[in-house]
Amino acid sequence: MRILFIGDIVGNPGRMIVEQKLPELQKEYHPDLIIANAENASNGRGLTPKLAEALFDANIDILTMGNHVWDNREILGYIENERRIVRPANYPKGVPGLGYTLVKVNQAQIAVINLIGRVFMGDYDSPFTTADQILSEIEPVTPHIFIDFHAEATSEKLALAHYLDGRVSAVVGTHTHVQTADEQIFPGGTAYLTDVGMCGPVNSIIGMKKEQVLQRFLTQMPVRLEVEQGPAMLNALFLELTEQGKAASIKRITLK
Ligand SMILES: [Fe+2]
Ligand SMILES: [Fe+2]
């Protein structure tokens, strides 16, 4: 199974480069499944139904989310009826949407799970025990399991990935918007990358206007952040999985 995972799509620049470059990526890698993190698609904050549809029309199969999932309230009703979007599974019980989804790919199935970290993030349920719970439901169904772990701290990302090594196909980090260079396959066969990066403006501070972010840091005053303009980059990860759900190859992608 061939999977392309696209990092946090930030605003218009992110969406435009994804729409522009995805056909090339499909030609080169022939992915069976395309997953993208869309928590910043709407002007850097959340996702709207209209933008979700546009991303599905651009051939993305599944959208994962993160801490910005509720920033745009239009998503609330939509996410309840959309099985192609997953929000962090370790949010409190009863919040709208799915924490994982099962997708048919060729003759097989894959589970796509979204989890959020707790270090420098928020007061969520444990991503470790939540993963255990979800795996007890999924393991009888399929060995193909992909996790987008939306987290700030490298140590928490590595810890979850090692905790799940051999039980899932991949643990890939999102949220920092900066791609790391530590892609690897763990001894148990789980693919890992601390952070896949973002699709968004290159000359920015994690996608947002530099002056506004700097003003926040310099003054400690609340400053509304807007997505930076200018040339964009696309960060992604390509994975090949065996029929047994083990990682066979892992490759980082950066396009400008
Ligand atoms: Fe993000
Ligand atoms: Fe985030």
Side-chain angles (χ1 to χ4, degrees):
M1 192 181 293
R2 301 164 72 85
I3 300 168
L4 183 68
F5 180 50
I6 297 169
D8 302 35
I9 298 171
V10 182
N12 271 326
R15 292 193 330 263
M16 279 163 59
I17 195 159
V18 168
E19 284 175 16
Q20 181 196 339
K21 299 286 185 188
L22 198 50
E24 287 172 36
L25 288 169
Q26 286 182 282
K27 244 188 208 163
E28 188 171 351
Y29 293 100
H30 305 285
D32 301 306
L33 182 74
I34 303 174
I35 308 167
N37 186 295
E39 69 149 6
N40 307 110
S42 173
N43 297 316
R45 282 176 290 273
L47 176 68
T48 62
K50 200 174 155 198
L51 290 173
E53 295 294 335
L55 293 171
F56 292 136
D57 287 345
N59 281 329
I60 295 169
D61 299 296
I62 301 292
L63 298 174
T64 58
M65 300 298 289
N67 54 303
H68 288 288
V69 60
W70 311 129
D71 286 3
N72 203 302
R73 297 190 65 80
E74 281 177 62
I75 203 71
L76 287 174
Y78 181 78
I79 204 172
E80 301 222 50
N81 301 306
E82 182 48 78
R83 301 193 64 80
R84 293 175 293 177
I85 302 178
V86 286
R87 48 83 184 147
N90 50 326
Y91 275 176
K93 289 222 176 340
V95 302
L98 299 171
Y100 76 90
T101 193
L102 280 161
V103 196
K104 260 216 157 78
V105 176
N106 304 329
Q107 308 306 320
Q109 281 200 97
I110 182 165
V112 179
I113 306 172
N114 196 190
L115 289 165
I116 194 163
R118 298 190 292 187
V119 179
F120 308 128
M121 301 285 291
D123 187 16
Y124 308 112
D125 293 344
S126 164
F128 296 85
T129 54
T130 304
D132 283 333
Q133 273 165 25
I134 293 173
L135 291 184
S136 68
E137 297 167 25
I138 291 172
E139 276 163 338
V141 180
T142 178
H144 297 97
I145 301 167
F146 177 93
I147 299 182
D148 169 355
F149 188 29
H150 197 80
E152 184 76 45
T154 303
S155 60
E156 192 179 19
K157 289 170 163 172
L158 268 166
L160 183 78
H162 278 291
Y163 183 67
L164 299 174
D165 182 24
R167 297 160 67 198
V168 305
S169 310
V171 176
V172 183
T174 55
H175 178 66
T176 70
H177 292 196
V178 177
Q179 189 176 74
T180 58
D182 60 336
E183 72 275 24
Q184 57 196 293
I185 298 173
F186 287 164
T190 296
Y192 175 75
L193 177 67
T194 295
D195 207 293
V196 66
M198 71 165 176
C199 302
V202 178
N203 189 13
S204 70
I205 298 176
I206 63 171
M208 309 313 273
K209 283 197 195 299
K210 300 187 296 290
E211 298 72 21
Q212 295 170 346
V213 177
L214 278 171
Q215 215 188 332
R216 257 199 203 180
F217 278 110
L218 289 170
T219 65
Q220 296 297 315
M221 301 275 286
V223 178
R224 189 164 173 84
L225 304 181
E226 295 167 309
V227 173
E228 186 61 272
Q229 300 303 311
M233 64 179 170
L234 179 151
N235 286 164
L237 186 72
F238 176 67
L239 294 168
E240 285 177 293
L241 308 184
T242 66
E243 279 182 22
Q244 291 73 39
K246 303 288 181 195
S249 76
I250 180 168
K251 184 175 188 288
R252 272 186 300 124
I253 297 166
T254 297
L255 296 178
K256 284 183 186 167

